[in-house]
Amino acid sequence: MDINYQALADKYGTPFYLYDFDHIQNRYTTLKDAFAGKKSLINYAVKANSNLSVIAHLAKLGAGADCVSIGEVQRALDAGVDKYKIIFSGVGKRDDEIRAALEYDILLLNLESEAEMKRVEMVAKELGKEARISIRVNPNIDPQTHPYISTGLHENKFGVEIDMAKRMYIYANKSEYLNPVGIHFHIGSQLTNLEPIRESCGIVADLVRSLRAIKIDIKFFDVGGGIGVVYDDEVTIDATAYTQIIANETKDLDVTLLCEPGRYMVANAGAFFTRVLYEKNNESKRFVIVDGGMNDLIRPSLYDAYHRIEAVMVEGEKTPADVVGPVCESGDFFGKNVPLPPLQHNDLVVVHSAGAYGFSMASNYNTRAKSAEVALQDGKDRLIRARETYEDQIRLELPYLQK
Ligand code: LLP
């Protein structure tokens, strides 16, 4: 498809995010088809990209949602996700979040500690409801990914150990207000190797078998998210191999398979467009200063993550440049030593594969307005989030200003 990115930049201003909805659809159907013949539900991890239109697009295709705050649950509901397809995970939930989740009657609350289970039981009792729960098991498997996005080791704060999980299931099974119907693990993000997933599935499937032996019937087997994508030249997980391994490890268990992909659904579908303000050279370095900053896309600064960067429709000999933003931090960069042609004021630069954990991690640091978000679907572009204004940013402060 021939897309005139310059025209989009003129129409929407810069910086902006562009998401290819056809690509998202493709990802969803590829994964869903790979589960063919199995009972399955794909719970899109809303944190990866929580734009309402993105969630709605996936909801129309049949996706559920994996949420980590009541705000995300509300987004999922507002976007049209069926309440019985929503799960609420996370290590720390406030009582009011638990209460709201129970009132919304979503599919599952995923619990990560004994103390949390007791709170959920208490809130459910107050409401006179039974809470459907799953327990996040920490299988102590090294996912072989970046330490910041690795979550399945005992040194990480997530989930509970197998023995503790078993004790919790026994307790929950006896409780009038808890109904343990699911089991969950999530060992990390941007996984490129299937072996840790296979091992974790095996460990957790064994736990399901031992629970069945004591008449605790687990219906939902949730393998979390984590499927890695290609940012550079990674060789990553194939959807069919992924689902086959999961199906294989659970083949004797009559369970519905749940997974929670975030990045896989949206990362490669998105790009961040920013315009060149100017170039600056010192004795040893060439800097390209653009109008987007780390507040818009923090992955390079936070994780040293690689995103391919290109100039749009600019010819010329390429030399290495650091692509940096206007934020007053040395960590405000999108790429270092990026081969780029000579660039002029207003030339357009694209940062690829920015659809996941891009806008959703954006902030207003330096009182910078959050960028616009644009969808591309069937060859047509449309705004799905307007650029913030200064007024949007001060709205909650202004009423309290005393001069
Ligand atoms: N389920 C749970 C319980 C999670 O904690 C996560 C991500 C997911 C699903 C979705 O994982 P995915 O399929 O997207 O890998 N900000 C980091 C990623 C943090 C991931 C946190 N948890 C980044 O930009 O790389």
Side-chain angles (χ1 to χ4, degrees):
M1 207 189 329
D2 263 346
I3 298 153
N4 187 340
Y5 296 109
Q6 290 287 357
L8 291 180
D10 289 341
K11 181 168 170 186
Y12 297 107
T14 54
F16 70 98
Y17 277 93
L18 183 67
Y19 309 124
D20 179 348
F21 274 31
D22 301 325
H23 187 285
I24 296 176
Q25 176 160 352
N26 206 313
R27 281 295 171 108
Y28 177 81
T29 45
T30 302
L31 191 58
K32 188 65 191 168
D33 291 350
F35 273 114
K38 295 275 151 201
K39 284 182 286 182
S40 69
L41 177 63
I42 297 175
N43 287 82
Y44 167 60
V46 168
K47 72 187 83 163
N49 185 323
S50 27
N51 185 290
L52 286 175
S53 300
V54 170
I55 307 172
H57 180 49
L58 282 159
K60 278 186 212 130
L61 297 169
D66 166 50
C67 304
V68 284
S69 68
I70 205 66
E72 286 192 353
V73 171
Q74 282 158 341
R75 276 183 182 270
L77 289 167
D78 281 344
V81 179
D82 185 311
K83 65 179 180 174
Y84 293 127
K85 291 185 177 173
I86 297 177
I87 54 189
F88 183 13
S89 306
V91 281
K93 302 177 188 74
R94 289 188 316 264
D95 285 1
D96 61 291
E97 293 186 293
I98 297 169
R99 195 169 299 118
L102 292 176
E103 280 170 346
Y104 288 137
D105 196 25
I106 60 171
L107 178 64
L108 283 174
L109 271 93
N110 187 33
L111 309 183
E112 303 214 17
S113 65
E114 196 179 17
E116 185 188 16
M117 179 177 70
K118 299 275 172 71
R119 296 292 317 165
V120 170
E121 184 184 37
M122 204 193 74
V123 176
K125 188 174 175 186
E126 270 168 28
L127 295 176
K129 282 185 182 263
E130 187 186 65
R132 281 180 299 277
I133 60 156
S134 60
I135 294 174
R136 178 168 179 174
V137 178
N138 182 333
N140 200 25
I141 294 289
D142 182 355
Q144 300 158 19
T145 185
H146 192 292
Y148 278 18
I149 48 178
S150 150
T151 45
L153 282 168
H154 284 167
E155 66 195 57
N156 303 124
K157 68 176 176 180
F158 300 98
V160 296
E161 289 153 308
I162 301 279
D163 288 350
M164 171 55 91
K166 203 165 172 179
R167 284 201 295 279
M168 285 169 66
Y169 277 111
I170 292 168
Y171 179 93
N173 199 43
K174 286 193 191 129
S175 166
E176 217 181 308
Y177 301 102
L178 300 171
N179 183 7
V181 289
I183 198 155
H184 173 267
F185 68 88
H186 169 84
I187 54 172
S189 198
Q190 184 56 11
L191 309 177
T192 52
N193 185 347
L194 268 178
E195 193 47 28
I197 299 175
R198 195 192 59 71
E199 273 184 70
S200 306
C201 269
I203 293 170
V204 177
D206 277 345
L207 177 56
V208 173
R209 286 180 200 106
S210 75
L211 292 171
R212 290 256 165 102
I214 52 170
K215 303 263 177 304
I216 298 176
D217 189 21
I218 300 299
K219 298 186 178 67
F220 298 99
F221 189 96
D222 184 347
V223 300
I227 308 173
V229 304
V230 178
Y231 285 103
D232 188 6
D233 54 6
E234 302 88 339
V235 177
T236 181
I237 293 173
D238 166 72
T240 311
Y242 174 76
T243 56
Q244 267 169 10
I245 274 196
I246 299 165
N248 205 27
E249 292 295 326
T250 56
K251 61 174 177 292
D252 57 317
L253 306 170
D254 180 27
V255 284
T256 298
L257 299 172
L258 263 51
C259 65
E260 307 166 346
R263 193 188 313 267
Y264 173 83
M265 289 293 167
V266 290
N268 297 142
F272 180 68
F273 286 83
T274 177
R275 273 192 159 129
V276 173
L277 295 174
Y278 19 76
E279 286 216 21
K280 166 168 159 173
N281 291 278
N282 67 24
E283 271 172 20
S284 55
K285 274 259 175 219
R286 173 184 171 210
F287 294 101
V288 171
I289 300 164
V290 294
D291 63 1
M294 66 188 285
N295 70 297
D296 298 301
L297 174 61
I298 203 173
R299 302 193 72 255
S301 315
L302 198 57
Y303 313 116
D304 215 9
Y306 172 83
H307 287 264
R308 191 162 59 85
I309 300 175
E310 281 177 318
V312 178
M313 308 263 290
V314 185
E315 302 296 323
E317 197 194 331
K318 293 180 179 169
T319 59
D322 285 8
V323 180
V324 302
V327 172
C328 51
E329 300 265 351
S330 299
D332 180 24
F333 66 90
F334 293 126
K336 298 218 162 144
N337 295 314
V338 183
L340 287 170
L343 291 167
Q344 312 282 329
H345 185 70
N346 272 347
D347 280 343
L348 195 58
V349 165
V350 54
V351 184
H352 289 281
S353 298
Y357 307 108
F359 189 93
S360 65
M361 293 180 80
S363 77
N364 290 118
Y365 188 39
N366 284 195
T367 306
R368 289 173 49 82
K370 286 187 192 161
S371 57
E373 292 178 287
V374 178
L376 203 57
Q377 189 171 14
D378 297 330
K380 290 194 196 73
D381 55 276
R382 67 175 200 272
L383 191 65
I384 56 171
R385 192 185 207 268
R387 182 178 308 286
E388 262 180 11
T389 62
Y390 169 69
E391 286 69 29
D392 291 330
Q393 289 193 63
I394 58 162
R395 188 174 61 88
L396 300 173
E397 298 164 40
L398 206 52
Y400 308 102
L401 176 65
Q402 294 178 344
K403 280 195 188 155

